[in-house]
Amino acid sequence: MEEDKKSASRNTKQKGEILRVIRDAKGPLSVKEIHDISKKSIQNIGIATVYRSVNHLLESGSIHEIQLPGESSRFEISHLDHHHHFHCKVCDRVFDVEICPFPMENLPKGFTLDSHEIILYGVCSECNNSSK
Ligand SMILES: [Zn+2]
Ligand SMILES: [Zn+2]
């Protein structure tokens, strides 16, 4: 029983840490990226633990899944303001972009809009700087 309690509190701590990693990120993260970052703060954390925590966080609604075409799933914190994603083709990371370039008005008469998705592709500032 003691062991169970200990491992349960460890799981809670790891889940909290993984949530922090996702919250502090500049954009949605893949499980591999979450694993790479959380390794720095959680000793010996395995990819299976990251998967498990991500699933728990998904079920509880703390995070949600972002699926970009042809990419593995990424995860970001729920309830962010409206934003878009910028996919860097050099480092393969995805960044949040706060601007929305799509005019919400000017729709044809009688149309109402629920949502839209725009994905921006290019090179991030880090990759642009390192190529100079
Ligand atoms: Zn980049
Ligand atoms: Zn938008």
Side-chain angles (χ1 to χ4, degrees):
M1 279 313 264
E2 258 320 289
E3 270 310 302
D4 277 4
K5 235 188 261 169
K6 232 186 262 172
S7 89
S9 88
R10 197 183 61 218
N11 286 345
T12 309
K13 216 174 130 209
Q14 287 175 339
K15 208 164 69 179
E17 189 60 22
I18 282 164
L19 185 63
R20 192 189 60 79
V21 166
I22 297 170
R23 188 189 299 121
D24 291 351
K26 289 179 188 143
L29 299 175
S30 66
V31 167
K32 192 187 168 300
E33 288 170 320
I34 297 167
H35 185 221
D36 286 344
I37 299 168
S38 55
K39 266 194 290 198
K40 290 172 199 157
S41 52
I42 310 170
Q43 265 188 343
N44 305 320
I45 187 165
I47 190 108
T49 306
V50 176
Y51 269 108
R52 210 167 40 232
S53 299
V54 163
N55 277 330
H56 282 156
L57 292 167
L58 269 177
E59 278 168 23
S60 70
S62 308
I63 61 171
H64 66 260
E65 190 173 348
I66 304 291
Q67 189 75 61
L68 302 185
E71 291 285 312
S72 54
S73 294
R74 287 178 164 86
F75 302 92
E76 72 179 12
I77 219 86
S78 298
H79 315 301
L80 291 174
D81 288 340
H82 181 78
H83 67 282
H84 293 289
H85 294 124
F86 185 107
H87 189 188
C88 173
K89 61 187 181 189
V90 178
C91 65
D92 204 34
R93 283 182 295 175
V94 176
F95 298 87
D96 289 340
V97 176
E98 304 297 333
I99 45 168
C100 178
F102 195 80
M104 300 287 186
E105 58 276 4
N106 304 333
L107 280 173
K109 196 172 181 305
F111 285 68
T112 52
L113 185 71
D114 281 337
S115 67
H116 65 259
E117 277 180 43
I118 301 170
I119 306 164
L120 304 145
Y121 295 96
V123 181
C124 74
S125 62
E126 236 173 82
C127 291
N128 266 325
N129 285 332
S130 66
S131 66
K132 269 171 206 153

